[in-house]
Amino acid sequence: MKKLLLVVAALVLVFGLGACSKVDEYEIAMITDSGGIDDESFNQGTWEGIVEFAEDNDLTYKYYKPLEVSDAAYLDTIALAIEGGAKIVVTPGYLFETSIYEAQDLYPDVYFVLIDGVPHEPWDDDTAFNTADNTLPILFNEHEAGFLAGYAAVIDGYRNLGFTGGMAVPAVVKFGVGFIAGAYYAAAKLDVDIVFGDDTYHYFGDFAPSDNFKNMASSWYTTGTEIIFSAAGGAGASVMAAAADNSAMMIGVDIDQADQSDTVLTSAMKQLGNAVQQALQAYIDGDFVGGAASFKGASNDGVALPMDTSRFATFSVAQYDAIYALLVDGTVVVPADYATLVTFLDDATLDYPSQAEVEGTTE
Amino acid sequence: MEYIIEMLNITKEFPGIKANDNVTLQLKKGEIHALLGENGAGKSTLMSVLFGLYRQEEGIIKVRGEEVVIDSPNDANDYGIGMVHQHFKLVHNFSVVENIVLGFEDTQYGFMKYEEATEKIAALSEKYKLKVNPKELISNISVGMQQRVEILKMLYRDAEILIFDEPTAVLTPQEITELMSIMKDLASEGKSIILITHKLKEIKEVADRCSVLRKGKYIGTVDVKTTSVEKMAEMMVGREVSFVVNKVDSKPTNTVLEVNDLSVYNHRLAKDVVTDVSFEVKAGEILCIAGIEGNGQTQLIEAITGLRNPSKGKIVLNSEDITHCTVRNRNLAGVSHIPEDRHKHGLVLDYSLEQNLIIQTYFDKKFQSRGFIKFDAMRDNAVTLIEKFDIRSGKGATTSARSMSGGNQQKVIVAREIDRDTDLLIAVQPTRGLDVGAIEYIHKQLIAQRDAGKAVLLVSLELEEVMNVSDRIIVMYEGEVVGEFDPKVVTENELGLYMAGSKRSDQ
Amino acid sequence: MVEKIKNYFITNYLGISTGFSLFLFIFIIPQLFEDSDLIISLIRGIIFSIVVGYLVYKFLLFRRNNPNFVPSESKLVVDAGGSLVAIIVGLLFGLLLMLLVNPGQAFYGFSIILRGGLNRNFKSLGDMIFFSVPIILTGLSVAFAFRTGLFNIGATGQLTMGAFVAVFIGVEWGALGEIHPLLHWGTALLFAMIAGGLFGAIPGLLKAYRNVNEVVASIMLNYVAMYLNTMLIVAYIYNRDYARALDIEETAITPIMNLDLIFPGSAINGGIVVAVIVVIILHIILNKTTFGYELKAVGFNRNASKYAGMNSKRNIVYAMMISGAVAGLAGGLMFLVAGKHLKPENILIPEGFTGIAISLLGLSSPIGVLLAGLFYGSLQQGGYYLQLLNFTPEIIDIIIAVIIYASALGLVLQKFVKMILKRKFLEKEDGEPQDLAVEGSDE
Ligand SMILES: Nc1ncnc2c1ncn2[C@@H]1O[C@H](COP(=O)(O)OP(=O)(O)OP(=O)(O)O)[C@@H](O)[C@H]1O
Ligand SMILES: [Mg+2]
């Protein structure tokens, strides 16, 4: 009998206690994608923007983690965030495209900010895009960021360049195309020859660090490559390690990676924080405009090199501002794909990476 | 102060059985006190209570006149009680020293003080003439030596009261003689000893007094000098036991097992451990392989039963060459085998008694249909054998083999193998650890098998058994057969000389 | 006779009435106040009540048939009790951690974790079941091998191979779906099992015929599977735009089997049905068949099984193969889900390792593993809803991990703790059987 009472007491405790406790609400919510909050990439960049904005404006904020990487789990976590009081949900990464596609209609009163993707139906084929009015997809002109990095490197005196990507997904390819464009643009301007061809253009096939990647980067460095731009997320760490071993330099990606290694010359940044903050600002001002993607490039402060933390020898802030201005006013239109790259460079004698290599169709 | 240990009115119950029922045991200082009882009478249990492994439900324990509570072997240690278990508890790939200090490590700044320990052990070994090399690995020393390590372990912990649970069951006759004198030395040094054994001769030789248990109950304590062996046996079993094995002469007929020039190579020792052994066993006879432990008998039997590959030679069963058959096929062809090591080979300790009883026959139509075990048939089989062989345990057929007393575990194996009713029965030390009553029974069974026209191959270390049961004897020494004898003609002495290698007859 | 009827009545009546009252209290009465679908609630309630009623009935029947049953003498009860104690210890560890990081909400948070799969009633219950399916299966995989004395650390690799093959068929063999919708899914699953089984057989063969330690071999094979998986995805079913495998055809998606009626709004699918069938099959194999008898004998004592003429080599291979097949099945079910994708990542899939803890906790028995897996799923749900409080997901992950591993570890430590506790009071209280028998030392 005693035992029975104990069981009943325990049940009451478990099921009764919770019911009336008050739970805090969080107005701004972010859902993490496959990585953690400190992934030194999308999650982190976005989150830092949110934290800064929310602190400044005295708003409540929180991030949620899905139980797994799947459309259903993402959608469920969005629901959880809304249950937790979210009025605006920020989702970093294209993996959220399909879940936002559903969520935007399920929760018409909630605003969604989808970074680096556009909501569309599940299923690869018959892909139907639809961006509701309460959803703002934010896309970046990666090619512009890549361009800035390539330009700065060559101006700063590097002549022997390399590029490593995580996988040949569109965003990464755009970084590569822009990087090639920037480097050869600067070379033409300085009238110097640079070495940057197929041999030093490669996709790892993975975004996680590995010794293989480090070895590959090392072999590039030992055969003369002076700097490698690594648009490979976490795998960039392998390139940093290789650079450190060879006293060489590399260029980081997405966010400012200067504090990760002394070998980071600069980073081709997407201004995730800025972009999110712009959206949040619109939200609190009551003029959140969804329905169509917003492109963040040089013209709206969406890409940048972190000049404060860069380790350039000669490339100055003035030079940076000058090239940036050219991008902003459209004097220089950075190519976003290989075909436009070819017309942009317009010089068949140059030995820049081939189409197959850049589009990752060699494997 | 008269008694160093008093266990008064101890009761200890296991599920389904009172292992000790109001048992009293009083041990005088400096005496060797024998504890006698049938298999499963509760001897090991009583000692486990004293050693702190079990807690009694009723009764008290007094050490040196004071009532104490012994909750763990560590407590037992503190009261100066040490125990050598029926099955040793040594770590095989540790050295002697490491085993001895295990759980009693003397450390300095976190480092083991091996040197001192080694010295102390060497000194103790010297003092009691144990001849143990402290640096040797356990896996490299004989069973007898391992036992001495267990003794050293107790002495190292300054034990005053030494418990030996069936120490002689695994020893060769020579080792037994040596152990007896070691025990006498220990007693004369003032140590008090409790000795569990089924061998009345040993009790007669070393013990001062003897307490008898029967089915968990205390029967009485007698003075060994003035009590006959027969009387003690009767107290223990509750009836008269006959020590002579009655049998008619054998009438061997056709050859069942034929072993030709069999050799077994040992890769670790890089030599043959069985060399060119040939013999045959006929239906209706008991052939005994005698010899001191470690002279190749184990390997020879393993080769015959298929547990080991011979390097050379031929094994023929009922004129069928089985040299390269699997164990399963040999079993089916008619080999039963009571193995030497009941825990290693004979039983799956985590299986129940009934499961253990069908270990070679589970796939038989009798116990299986379409891949499913017939649980009823399994149960019936167990119930029959338990009844027939008087296997005692707490929960009958469902008792886990692990919880059974050593002797009853042996009976399970014997029952199973005899029941298989095959042409050839190989029995390696079948009576190891059995009480006199059970031994008598097993011997009768072996002879009954013989009389029923089976061929019996017996391996035994005990001369008495060899002489009493067998119809023909061959002696093995260093892997070779050194002689063949008729038990009615040869003397124990003569056999002993052959077994020790000081004599050999060239065939 | 009268006695018999009375007994019969009592057991049945009690069982039925318990089920019925639960049905009333939990399913009907709330419906009078909420305006959700009464029919669905009825169906759900009936099923649930029948299950509970049946269990109560079974229990009472058992009590009646075994009037002298003393729980403390049953190995099952004692062992399960051990698991329970371990879980409680694990939970307390979790609570302690929560008190450290967020004392204000620790108790409320703890109640959320305890409520686990019941946090959102049938939705979270369905989610809990959905997420526990792979864990149950990997747990079964490890447990089955373990019963044969083998430590299959390679469940991850086998799962990965199964997952790849299933997804490959799911992507490529759409034509099967045109013949019959279930054929496509079934084939994908079947081949996932075969792939996992073959991959599991490798360490089995190495162990049996080359005496290579299966732990080492299967760890290595985990990496082989991981890299192979990456390579094969990129080569055959790569969705370049998303850096992951292509979507599987609709016909290869695990059918829901109407379970959404009982668990509306949840992610549940027919995976649990497969898992339960596997539990039953493995339970029968292990406990009722000669094959299982052999496998366990080999597991308990290889020497004795050899002595008994069992072909321990063959058994080792079979056991590893079955173990691998079950892990492969886990992989298949994990990824034959809409909106979930295999990625060419060089990461070992963690479910394989969680399976080890679950197998420990479930005492390596299929039914135990089923329960332990559901427990894990429940914890996971609890942790998920804990996000509504002021706990960061990282801390929650740690809390859940602590609970699971403290529980599993607790079981291992229990042997030692038992030795101490038992002599202090357990022994006196109920005279439980001792497994540290004097005669007990194996080998
Ligand atoms: N741990 C245990 N659990 C259940 N029953 C046990 C346990 N240990 C011993 N028993 C039972 O208690 C009884 C006494 O066993 P014990 O080992 O003390 O006998 P024994 O006198 O030493 O016999 P033997 O000469 O065969 O070694 C046996 O019936 C045995 O089955
Ligand atoms: Mg005993």
Side-chain angles (χ1 to χ4, degrees), chain A residues 15 18 23 62-65 67-68 70-71 76-77 83 94-95 97 120 123-124 167 169 206 360, chain C residues 108 115 120 123 238-240 242-244 247-248 339-340 346 381 384 387-389 391 393-394 397:
Chain A
F15 296 100
V23 179
K62 184 169 173 54
Y63 70 92
Y64 298 85
K65 192 179 160 206
L67 274 177
E68 63 172 1
S70 76
D71 294 355
D76 205 74
T77 313
E83 191 185 326
Y94 58 79
L95 290 177
E97 288 175 339
H120 69 81
W123 306 117
D124 291 332
M167 286 174 190
V169 297
D206 194 356
Chain C
Y108 181 29
R115 250 187 297 175
R120 294 295 176 275
K123 179 208 174 297
Y238 195 35
N239 180 341
R240 210 161 279 286
Y242 289 89
R244 64 189 187 196
D247 285 350
I248 52 171
K340 200 168 169 197
N346 290 338
Q381 285 295 313
Y384 180 66
Q387 296 194 68
L388 286 173
L389 303 193
F391 288 92
E394 282 74 20
D397 284 351

Side-chain angles (χ1 to χ4, degrees), chain A residues 139-141 144-145 254 269-275 278 295-304 324:
Chain A
L139 299 174
F140 290 90
N141 294 338
E144 293 186 346
D254 287 345
M269 276 168 61
K270 294 177 180 176
Q271 299 275 62
L272 293 161
N274 278 355
Q278 285 164 15
F295 287 88
K296 303 288 179 189
S299 60
N300 45 11
D301 204 13
V303 296
Y324 203 89

Side-chain angles (χ1 to χ4, degrees), chain A residues 2-351:
Chain A
K2 235 182 189 169
K3 275 185 200 154
L4 201 73
L5 276 178
L6 219 71
V7 171
V8 170
L11 283 177
V12 168
L13 204 76
V14 171
F15 296 100
L17 243 185
C20 46
S21 286
K22 193 191 146 329
V23 179
D24 305 329
E25 302 224 316
Y26 302 91
E27 186 173 356
I28 306 174
M30 184 185 107
I31 319 288
T32 57
D33 82 343
S34 55
I37 197 68
D38 48 1
D39 62 353
E40 297 182 329
S41 177
F42 265 65
N43 286 332
Q44 191 172 352
T46 312
W47 180 239
E48 282 167 3
I50 294 176
V51 173
E52 191 182 277
F53 184 85
E55 296 286 337
D56 288 349
N57 293 282
D58 218 7
L59 297 172
T60 51
Y61 58 97
K62 184 169 173 54
Y63 70 92
Y64 298 85
K65 192 179 160 206
L67 274 177
E68 63 172 1
V69 181
S70 76
D71 294 355
Y74 280 166
L75 186 61
D76 205 74
T77 313
I78 290 170
L80 185 72
I82 293 169
E83 191 185 326
K87 300 282 183 295
I88 179 162
V89 177
V90 182
T91 54
Y94 58 79
L95 290 177
F96 287 95
E97 288 175 339
T98 42
S99 33
I100 293 292
Y101 179 85
E102 290 186 35
Q104 60 189 3
D105 294 336
L106 279 174
Y107 310 101
D109 300 335
V110 178
Y111 294 108
F112 296 97
V113 178
L114 170 58
I115 293 174
D116 224 23
V118 181
H120 69 81
E121 262 189 3
W123 306 117
D124 291 332
D125 18 83
D126 71 317
T127 298
F129 291 89
N130 173 32
T131 303
D133 288 342
N134 56 338
T135 300
L136 175 67
I138 295 177
L139 299 174
F140 290 90
N141 294 338
E142 287 91 0
H143 46 291
E144 293 186 346
F147 182 89
L148 291 172
Y151 180 82
V154 173
I155 297 290
D156 203 41
Y158 294 90
R159 296 290 177 265
N160 209 326
L161 286 70
F163 172 88
T164 57
M167 286 174 190
V169 297
V172 177
V173 173
K174 284 202 287 182
F175 269 122
V177 169
F179 186 66
I180 299 169
Y184 280 96
Y185 179 82
K189 197 178 149 190
L190 296 180
D191 198 16
V192 294
D193 284 337
I194 58 167
V195 184
F196 182 22
D198 273 356
D199 292 346
T200 54
Y201 194 103
H202 184 74
Y203 294 101
F204 289 142
D206 194 356
F207 287 98
S210 124
D211 282 346
N212 287 342
F213 304 163
K214 183 183 158 187
N215 292 341
M216 198 206 74
S218 247
S219 74
W220 286 7
Y221 283 126
T222 49
T223 52
T225 306
E226 295 160 353
I227 191 155
I228 299 174
F229 173 32
S230 176
S238 302
V239 179
M240 291 173 201
D245 287 355
N246 294 282
S247 326
M249 297 299 276
M250 61 84 68
I251 297 172
V253 76
D254 287 345
I255 62 167
D256 184 2
Q257 297 188 311
D259 56 354
Q260 284 181 41
S261 161
D262 290 340
T263 63
V264 179
L265 178 71
T266 185
S267 306
M269 276 168 61
K270 294 177 180 176
Q271 299 275 62
L272 293 161
N274 278 355
V276 172
Q277 288 181 2
Q278 285 164 15
L280 291 174
Q281 187 65 46
Y283 158 73
I284 58 168
D285 293 347
D287 51 11
F288 183 94
V289 184
S294 159
F295 287 88
K296 303 288 179 189
S299 60
N300 45 11
D301 204 13
V303 296
L305 299 183
M307 291 307 288
D308 296 347
T309 54
S310 293
R311 300 185 173 90
F312 292 118
T314 61
F315 188 68
S316 66
V317 175
Q319 283 172 307
Y320 172 73
D321 289 344
I323 186 71
Y324 203 89
L326 292 184
L327 295 191
V328 172
D329 67 18
T331 319
V332 175
V333 180
V334 181
D337 55 39
Y338 198 83
T340 24
L341 174 69
V342 174
T343 36
F344 178 84
L345 296 176
D346 196 24
D347 183 348
T349 61
L350 295 177
D351 184 25

Side-chain angles (χ1 to χ4, degrees), chain B residues 38 214 230 233-242 436-438 440-441 444:
Chain B
E38 286 174 290
R214 192 195 309 152
E230 286 74 16
E234 198 190 320
M235 276 177 82
M236 162 177 138
V237 187
R239 62 174 165 90
E240 262 184 58
V241 183
S242 96
V436 283
E440 179 193 6
Y441 180 78
K444 274 189 190 150

Side-chain angles (χ1 to χ4, degrees), chain B residues 14 17 19 38-45 54 86 166 198 392-394 403-408, chain C residues 434 437 439:
Chain B
F14 286 121
I17 197 162
E38 286 174 290
N39 296 125
K43 307 178 295 292
S44 297
T45 305
Y54 295 145
Q86 192 164 2
E166 294 191 38
H198 290 295
R392 295 181 198 170
S393 63
S403 75
M404 297 175 67
S405 81
N408 280 298
Chain C
Q434 290 266 0
E439 324 237 294

